Structures are given as C-alpha cells and as structure tokens.
Amino acid sequence: MSALSSTYALIRKDILSELRTRYALNALLMFVVTTVATILFALRSDQPTPTVLSGMYWVVIFFTAMSGLSRVFVSEEERGTTMTLQLVASPSVVYFGKLLFNVALTLSLTLAVTLLYTIVFSTSFTIQTPSIFAVTVLLGSLGFASAATIIAAIVAKANTRGTLYPVLAFPVLIVLLMTVMNATTKALDGEEFGAAMGDFQILLGYIFAMTGGSYLLFDFVWKD
Amino acid sequence: MIDVSLTVAGITKSFSRRAIFRDISFSLHGGDSLAITGRNGSGKSTLVKILCDVLTPTAGAVQYAIDGKNVSMESAKDQLGMVSPYLQLYDEFSGLENLELLSRIRSNNFPIDERSSEFLKLVGLWDRRKDMVRTYSSGMKQRLKYAFALLHRPLVLILDEPTSNLDAEGVDVVKSVVENQKSSGILVVATNDAMEARWCGQELQLGDQAQAELKR
Amino acid sequence: MKFVKYGSIILITFVIIAGLAIPLSPSPQGWLQFPVIPALEEKARNIFFHVPVAWTTVVAFLVALFYGYRYLRSRDINDDIKSVSSAGLGLLFCVLATITGALWAKFNWGSFWNWDPRETSIFVLLLIYGAYFALRSALESEEKRATLSAVYSIVAGITVPFFIFVMPRMMAGLHPGAKGDPEGAGPVVQFDMSPNMLLVFLLSLLGFTLLYVWLFNIRVRMAKLEYERNPHHS
C-alpha cells in the first residue's frame, strides 16, 4: 500500500537526516549525561530509595525528550521544508511517520538511561520485576511519543521561544508521568506483575486516546 | 493529451479579516496556460499555494479533474508540480538524494534512477548531483526545484517566479519546460515580469483592492 | 440576563451569610442549625465555597473546549472569542479554587499543599490554563492562534478524564472521600448532607454558576466590541 511505503520513506528520510546532522542525538546524549551527573553529585554517597529512583528515571527521560522530540516538526519549519512535505505526503503519512520516529527515539532514550542507571546506581537500581519494567517502559515510551508529537507539531507553528515546548507538554504528560513512576517503583520493589495491571490499563487508555485524538486533530495543525 | 482540468470557484483569502483577494473563479483545461500577475503583495504566491492545497482558502473551492472525473486534492497532488521561492529542499542531502527521498515519500511508480538522471541533465545539474544542496548556489537550487517539480511528469505545473536566480541558460531551460507543459497539460505562472506573463494564453491580474481581473 | 445577574448576587450573598453564620450543633434541630461532621466541624463550611468554585473552573474549561471545537468547524472568529473568554474566567476560578483548597488543607491537615490526587488535578488544570495562554501569546496570526489553541485545549482535555476520575481511585489521598480517608467525612463528599446544608450548598453551586455566566457574557461582549473597533488587529 502506498501510504505504508510513503510513511516508511518519510521515517527513513528523518533517520538519514538525523544521522547526517545529529541535530537531536547530540542534545539527547548531553542531556542524559548531564542530568544523571547532577543527580549523582546531589546524592553523593547516599543510595536513593526505589521511589526516588523511579522518579529520577522518568525526570531524566522527560527533560531529555523535551530537548529532542520537537525536532521532527521544528526542523522542517525552520528550514522551510514544510511546504515540500505537504506537496509529497498526505497529513496521515506525515503524522504517523513523525510519530513512529519519535517512538523510536524515545525507546532508544529509555534504553540508554536504563543502561546508565544500572551502571551508575548499581546497588540500588535493581529491577526485581523485569516484566513490569519492560512493559512500563514500552507503554510509557509510546504514550510519551504520542503526546510529544502532536505538541511538537503545534509548537513548530508558533514563534518559538525555546521554553514553549515543555510548558505545553508538561500538563498533558503529567498523568503519564505519575502512572509510569508508580509502575516503575513497583518493578524496583519486586511486586507481582498483576499489581501493575491498573497502571497498564491507564497507560493503554492514554496511548489510544492521545494517538487517536492527535490523528484527528493533526490536519488542523499541519495545514495552514 | 490527457484530459485534465482545474476549476476554481469563488476563492477568497483573508488574513486577520483583511481580504487579499475575493471571489476568484476560472477554469483551465489541458493546453491552457494562465499567468497570475499583480504587484508585490497582491497575493500571487498566496493564490498559488491555495491551488496546490498548501493553504486553505477562507472561502471557495479548488477542484481538479482527470479524464472528466473529479479527483480529491490528495490524488491531485500526484499530478501537480510546483516551483516557488518559498519551496526549500533538504540541504543536508545531495541533489540526487533529494530527488530520490522525496520521490519515495511520494510513492512514485517509476524507476527513480532513470527519471532523476533525465531531469538532472535537463536542468544542467548532472555534474553536481552528488554535492550537498547546502553547497549549491541560489541558481542551482532553483534548477533543482525544477527537477523536483518535473520528476513525476505532472499534468499541472505551477511556477511562482519561474526565472528567479537563473542565468540565461537557466531561462532557456525554463522556456522549453514551459512550451512542453503547454502542449501536454496545464500551466500556471505567477510573475511580475510582463515577458513571462506573455508565455501564457490567459492572464489573471490581482489588484490592490482585493479585486481580480481575468483578461484575454 | 437580568435573572442571571440578580440571581447570582442574591444567591451568593445568601450563601455567604448562611454558610458562615449558621451555627453547628451536635444534634441539629430545625433549619437553622448544621450538624457537626466529625473531623471537619467548622471547617466543613469551606464546602460552600471551595467546591462550587472548583466546579465552575471545570465548567469554564469545558465551555472553552466546546467553543474551540466549534471554531475548528466553523472558522468563525466569534467562536474563538467565546473560547478565550471562558478560558480567562476558568483561570480566575482555578486560582480561587487552589487558594481555597490550600487554606482548607492548612487548617485541616497542617500544610498548604500535599500533592494528593485532587490537589494535583487542580494544579494540572492551572498549568493547562497557563499553557493555553502562553501558546496564544506566541502566535501572531489570528487564525493560527484560534486554531492551535483550540487544538491544544482539546489535546489537554483528553487527559482530563484520566486525572479526574482515575487517579483518586488509584492512590490514597487526603481529600475527604478518597481511598484511605479515616472516619466519617463521607457525608460531605457523598453529598449525604443534612437537608439544610445540602440546600445552602446547591444554592452556592447555582450562584457561582450564574456568576460565571454573567462574567462570560460581559467578557464576550467586551471582546466583540474591541474586535470591531480594531478591524485589522492581530
């Protein structure tokens, strides 16, 4: 189906562009390293509790995402290629292409932070229930990307002061953040998989509602 | 010649309630050519964007038809080529890569390599095809825009300021493109230049007070 | 409109007087005595003010959302005017709700803020309003401003059911009626109040709603006049 191949081609374009310019990857990497380092200095030798750890984990993800996930739309707008894309791709192709790119970016981010945490907080960051952790990270990334993408599309059209993106994104992401932090704490505490079912239901609901709503609204944002 | 038509009815565009133009209507068929003229700021580029479905009009409708049947704007885009000063290509990619990537996103059916070499040669960029667009001069970027616009052999070609940044050679290429398009489809040219306006059979003049006059 | 104006003035005045003046007694007799609710006592009076104000801010948000949606369909700037007018009022009432809530929290539980689910919800609503206006101020074109703020309000609106209904159930909270609430603050929350308290409460709800309608009406008329005065204002 040509919509699928178009979407794939768009994602491929964005990945190739990212590899060439490293626009977002650099920012992301720097952010992760500096925030984790800051946390380390703040804690000194104190070992954080699971609740604090899971909170910190998602704080790092949130701020790093805020510095990188708007790239998909802001870079097109800044360089004037929005019109070019509008000529070659339908709005749905653009929406899903950009969304999937952000999903991939967020998942890579969570992988990087998880690895970093396991190394840096080796004694306290022990995931006792890996199944909860894995599902939480997956659903959390999907939810993050779906909210972040539509808001990136909105912000790209504004006279962007850099701070507008987090200001708009935070209220929309709070529900997601609270839920994933809750679930991650359960994973670190070693609770049973079933204990996080409620959290997973919320996450799934959030993903569906946010993706569906964004898809329907995207046309209004994308087309002048 | 394939039966293609572009019908525009009652197009009005306002920004913050100031009307740029009001109630524009015209109809073009295969073989027709229209020049959109008017002073700077009269809305030529705005009208061009509306024809390409890149901008929504405040009122009115644009309808394309192929083989006598109306087609949606989505499908019409596959038959539309546009060159404009507002159009930008990706400067982190080479000229050839731009054509290939954009063609894939458009999901074109033809072999990209053949087509891109044909048009890169036509616009005189074949030697520089592997250089990053970042390194291109403004004239070269304009030529690449033509290659991009013509790659899928569009039935409708819309040119906004067709010869901007081009040298004499480039202008000759444009003239041949224009002649070719007039015999195979619809051509729309938005321009300030009287000579360029005369390439076309009809003229739509956009005035200061948001009026529009269809001449010839 | 006259009914709305006079209605809101009369009702709110009545509620202020009745809410604050009617004494509490352990075994209330007749209409002029309120029962004592364990753990809340005098502080229960807050319900006449805090809850209606919080209710109004939610109503204002829903109205802003509705007109935002209408704008997306109609592209009529009047819908956007109504949306932003309601949002402005919503912001005002949200600030009031947060303040009355924080005061209650201080007197009841010792500190102004505790991040229990309902407190967090009103805070998030405050952030949404703030973000809405921040977005509007970053957009110069009238059409873009109207379109994008409508879209944002809908996107934010999608998350509202989640934090209003789901969160309090998932977490224990301080608010009367949340999971883990000791003893009997139940009557306040389940609206299982004595009839005279219920009456004052409902009248307050109505009074504040009417106040909102009145203010909304004024704001919309003012905005329209300003708009007509500056035909080309962006």
Side-chain angles (χ1 to χ4, degrees):
Chain A
M1 221 176 48
S2 77
L4 262 138
S5 64
S6 293
T7 312
Y8 170 68
L10 179 58
I11 300 174
R12 180 170 165 265
K13 189 271 292 175
D14 276 334
I15 292 180
L16 285 173
S17 171
E18 189 48 46
L19 289 173
R20 293 246 178 128
T21 60
R22 305 205 185 272
Y23 184 99
L25 283 176
N26 280 338
L28 262 54
L29 211 62
M30 277 319 295
F31 242 93
V32 172
V33 169
T34 40
T35 31
V36 174
T38 313
I39 293 172
L40 261 181
F41 294 148
L43 289 173
R44 314 254 178 123
S45 49
D46 291 346
Q47 286 304 322
T49 64
T51 320
V52 171
L53 263 178
S54 79
M56 276 167 17
Y57 179 91
W58 289 103
V59 161
V60 172
I61 302 268
F62 172 73
F63 281 107
T64 317
M66 287 299 98
S67 74
L69 293 190
S70 60
R71 170 230 181 267
V72 283
F73 286 110
V74 170
S75 74
E76 306 278 3
E77 201 70 34
E78 273 177 354
R79 278 154 349 128
T81 50
T82 303
M83 191 160 79
T84 319
L85 261 191
Q86 286 174 320
L87 288 173
V88 296
S90 70
S92 341
V93 164
V94 174
Y95 174 67
F96 282 112
K98 302 296 187 178
L99 174 66
L100 291 172
F101 179 86
N102 271 343
V103 168
L105 203 56
T106 314
L107 281 172
S108 323
L109 187 57
T110 51
L111 186 65
V113 177
T114 309
L115 280 167
L116 204 56
Y117 266 45
T118 343
I119 299 172
V120 169
F121 299 111
S122 48
T123 41
S124 35
F125 192 71
T126 30
I127 303 170
Q128 300 191 40
T129 321
S131 55
I132 295 186
F133 188 75
V135 174
T136 306
V137 165
L138 178 64
L139 293 182
S141 303
L142 287 171
F144 234 101
S146 70
T149 304
I150 184 72
I151 296 186
I154 293 175
V155 164
K157 299 281 183 177
N159 306 329
T160 21
R161 302 165 287 162
T163 52
L164 194 64
Y165 190 47
V167 166
L168 294 188
F170 184 60
V172 173
L173 285 170
I174 282 191
V175 165
L176 184 77
L177 280 171
M178 292 177 89
T179 313
V180 290
M181 285 183 191
N182 238 3
T184 309
T185 313
K186 291 177 187 162
L188 294 174
D189 275 337
E191 298 201 26
E192 272 179 22
F193 188 78
M197 277 316 284
D199 297 318
F200 295 152
Q201 280 167 351
I202 297 179
L203 289 177
L204 275 168
Y206 184 90
I207 292 169
F208 279 116
M210 196 51 71
T211 309
S214 308
Y215 174 66
L216 294 171
L217 292 167
F218 185 68
D219 256 18
F220 293 108
V221 181
W222 179 238
K223 186 130 164 270
D224 283 332
Chain B
M1 182 177 324
I2 302 180
D3 175 18
V4 58
S5 77
L6 162 58
T7 311
V8 160
I11 296 281
T12 301
K13 182 65 184 174
S14 314
F15 288 109
S16 298
R17 281 182 311 155
R18 184 189 271 120
I20 307 281
F21 43 72
R22 257 190 262 275
D23 245 336
I24 295 189
S25 303
F26 58 80
S27 183
L28 298 171
H29 298 268
D32 288 340
S33 49
L34 176 70
I36 301 175
T37 60
R39 294 225 293 243
N40 288 338
S42 54
K44 303 189 292 295
S45 297
T46 307
L47 182 56
V48 160
K49 286 182 187 173
I50 291 177
L51 295 178
C52 296
D53 197 34
V54 169
L55 189 61
T56 320
T58 310
V62 174
Q63 184 66 56
Y64 288 91
I66 298 182
D67 284 334
K69 274 176 295 204
N70 283 346
V71 296
S72 68
M73 275 317 263
E74 276 321 310
S75 338
K77 280 184 187 166
D78 286 335
Q79 288 303 332
L80 212 64
M82 197 242 261
V83 174
S84 158
Y86 297 104
L87 190 80
Q88 299 298 334
L89 295 168
Y90 294 99
D91 61 12
E92 71 268 30
F93 293 117
S94 73
L96 184 59
E97 282 171 334
N98 261 282
L99 294 182
E100 184 221 32
L101 290 168
L102 290 168
S103 193
R104 280 196 216 274
I105 296 177
R106 215 188 211 128
S107 264
N108 285 325
N109 287 326
F110 48 76
I112 293 179
D113 299 324
E114 273 175 43
R115 216 48 99 76
S116 10
S117 69
E118 174 187 338
F119 284 101
L120 283 170
K121 287 176 185 158
L122 175 74
V123 300
L125 280 177
W126 181 247
D127 294 333
R128 299 292 301 270
R129 71 190 181 283
K130 295 204 177 156
D131 294 340
M132 300 294 123
V133 168
R134 187 183 306 128
T135 64
Y136 282 16
S137 68
S138 52
M140 290 164 69
K141 287 182 185 169
Q142 182 76 355
R143 290 168 189 245
L144 187 61
K145 290 181 194 178
Y146 273 95
F148 169 59
L150 296 167
L151 202 62
H152 51 299
R153 300 201 207 281
L155 290 174
V156 179
L157 186 63
I158 302 185
L159 308 176
D160 188 357
E161 307 207 9
T163 55
S164 71
N165 294 311
L166 288 179
D167 54 20
E169 239 179 68
V171 173
D172 284 337
V173 171
V174 173
K175 284 183 183 169
S176 76
V177 164
V178 161
E179 285 313 308
N180 200 21
Q181 186 67 25
K182 287 204 292 193
S183 61
S184 62
I186 293 177
L187 175 73
V188 176
V189 175
T191 179
N192 275 324
D193 186 309
M195 182 200 80
E196 290 171 10
R198 260 173 277 138
W199 292 339
C200 301
Q202 299 175 58
E203 181 180 336
L204 176 69
Q205 194 173 68
L206 299 179
D208 291 334
Q209 310 307 319
Q211 1 86 309
E213 224 184 296
L214 195 56
K215 298 179 162 175
R216 294 188 256 155
Chain C
M1 235 15 243
K2 277 217 162 88
F3 165 72
V4 171
K5 293 183 203 176
Y6 292 129
S8 69
I9 295 177
I10 294 173
L11 286 173
I12 292 184
T13 316
F14 169 74
V15 166
I16 291 177
I17 297 176
L20 294 176
I22 295 183
L24 260 48
S25 110
S27 25
Q29 261 113 41
W31 277 81
L32 287 177
Q33 286 183 336
F34 286 150
V36 176
I37 296 167
L40 285 179
E41 299 155 15
E42 291 284 339
K43 295 167 267 188
R45 295 186 194 278
N46 194 14
I47 198 186
F48 300 131
F49 304 103
H50 173 66
V51 177
V53 162
W55 148 265
T56 315
T57 182
V58 172
V59 166
F61 181 69
L62 293 172
V63 169
L65 208 82
F66 170 73
Y67 280 113
Y69 171 75
R70 273 267 292 260
Y71 176 81
L72 291 178
R73 300 300 222 112
S74 71
R75 299 283 166 174
D76 177 4
I77 201 70
N78 287 311
D79 287 327
D80 179 56
I81 291 179
K82 290 184 183 153
S83 184
V84 67
S85 302
S86 187
L89 286 176
L91 177 60
L92 170 68
F93 280 104
C94 196
V95 170
L96 286 175
T98 312
I99 294 177
T100 50
L103 283 173
W104 188 345
K106 174 70 175 166
F107 285 110
N108 240 11
W109 307 305
S111 66
F112 285 109
W113 198 261
N114 291 289
W115 295 113
D116 100 319
R118 294 242 175 88
E119 285 177 331
T120 311
S121 309
I122 205 77
F123 176 67
V124 173
L125 195 58
L126 203 58
L127 288 179
I128 292 178
Y129 278 123
Y132 176 88
F133 284 106
L135 176 62
R136 286 188 78 98
S137 67
L139 293 161
E140 273 167 14
S141 139
E142 195 177 271
E143 288 92 0
K144 266 214 202 315
R145 190 166 50 219
T147 310
L148 293 183
S149 54
V151 170
Y152 181 74
S153 64
I154 295 176
V155 169
I158 291 176
T159 67
V160 165
F162 286 95
F163 66 73
I164 280 193
F165 292 114
V166 177
M167 313 242 59
R169 255 144 251 187
M170 302 289 302
M171 304 185 222
L174 295 166
H175 259 83
K179 224 169 61 170
D181 172 37
E183 317 151 33
V188 168
V189 175
Q190 277 122 351
F191 302 118
D192 183 20
M193 294 177 250
S194 64
N196 53 351
M197 279 189 84
L198 190 62
L199 180 68
V200 177
F201 173 75
L202 289 175
L203 289 178
S204 179
L205 208 60
L206 182 62
F208 274 101
T209 308
L210 292 178
L211 180 66
Y212 161 75
V213 172
W214 182 13
L215 290 172
F216 177 70
N217 185 273
I218 294 178
R219 288 192 60 141
V220 170
R221 278 158 46 204
M222 245 175 61
K224 283 193 182 166
L225 283 174
E226 260 216 46
Y227 202 71
E228 255 119 64
R229 208 156 53 98
N230 302 332
H232 300 309
H233 103 142
S234 305

